[in-house]
Amino acid sequence: MNVLQKLRIDPFLVVLITVVIIASFLPCEGEAQKWFQHLTTAAIALLFFMHGAKLSRSAIWAGIGHWKLHLVIFISTFVLFPILGMGLHFIVPEWISPTIYMGFLYLCALPATVQSAIAFTSVAGGNVAAAICSASASSLLGVFLSPLLVGFLIQTHEGGAHADTWKAIKDIILQLMVPFIVGHLSRPLIARWVEKHKKLVNITDRSSILLVVYVAFSEAVVEGIWHKIDAYSLVMIGIVCCVLLALVLVINVYSSRLLGFDKQDEITIVFCGSKKSLANGVPMANVLFPASMVGVMLLPLMIFHQIQLMVCAVLAQRYAQRSKPKKAD
């Protein structure tokens, strides 16, 4: 664990990669695959039920009056990222394949993370109340907006073919939104239990994600994913992820300064406006895309997730160190 912390590697990502390796050598097939798919559907419903139950209304209202800051973060998450994603079309197919490019379009349509965005904002000395509000709102809006964005981006990329947006919306409503809303409405009854058993809830969340990844990559392996994705493709995904994150961070830093935000708000914009949620992205991909495509679609997200954690950990420490002399004065 200490080695992972020094290298700034997310331990959960290590487990996730392990699951991908297991699926590569021991994929579920045949009758077992059908049972795993049913189990995955139930796990996704439970995951979003717990997301709804954990979302505190007080957290949403905290700092909600700071609407300009939230608007900038919203634009970064749901406008800037998709625009940059569409800009990546110029490197297809010379640098990345069309399928991987679709994975980047999916990545750019996702909402922001909640826990890590708030944690990095806190470490860096940013506006934590506003971060809680923005990250929670992004997660909530993502359930509605991300499927629409995915449909729009893929239709634009494919000229309107092969993208059944309305079916995707219906599936999202039934499998994600309904459990989410029921979970949130149940919060008055189960909020204390959720708070008391945070570790169990987190284990349940992560176990659901691991199950979805295992089933997705099992299907992808059967379809020959590792014959389509070679070492060069993985390296290029990493490079494009770095460029994408760097562009978003630079734009967020300078736009927050041009708009006159103070340092605390700048920190909040930088960390809340540059994240993409693995927790929402994995189950949502399972609903939006055919089983044979999910594994490939998730590769950019999984790599971007680790890179964003490593880069933002360094940035948070630098922001924190810069603020120390001011506090001493």
Side-chain angles (χ1 to χ4, degrees), residues 7-10 12-13 16 76-77 81 104 106-108 110-121 138 206 237-249 252 269-282 298-317:
L7 295 175
R8 304 189 189 281
I9 296 175
D10 182 9
F12 180 64
L13 191 71
L16 208 59
S76 177
T77 304
F81 262 105
F104 275 105
Y106 176 63
L107 159 69
C108 291
L110 289 173
T113 61
V114 178
Q115 289 90 345
S116 64
I118 296 169
F120 285 131
T121 301
S138 176
R206 296 194 167 201
I237 291 173
I239 292 173
V240 175
C241 283
C242 289
V243 172
L244 180 63
L245 180 60
L247 286 172
V248 172
L249 287 172
N252 282 343
I269 291 169
V270 166
F271 290 115
C272 292
S274 62
K275 299 284 184 302
K276 289 296 178 178
S277 176
L278 184 70
N280 284 353
V282 171
L298 289 177
L299 279 176
L301 174 60
M302 290 172 62
I303 294 173
F304 185 86
H305 172 77
Q306 177 57 46
I307 292 172
Q308 74 181 6
L309 291 179
M310 294 172 68
V311 172
C312 289
V314 174
L315 278 178
Q317 292 296 330

Side-chain angles (χ1 to χ4, degrees), residues 180-194:
F180 184 92
I181 293 170
V182 171
H184 188 61
L185 293 177
S186 303
R187 182 172 169 78
L189 301 175
I190 64 174
R192 290 184 180 179
W193 186 91
V194 170

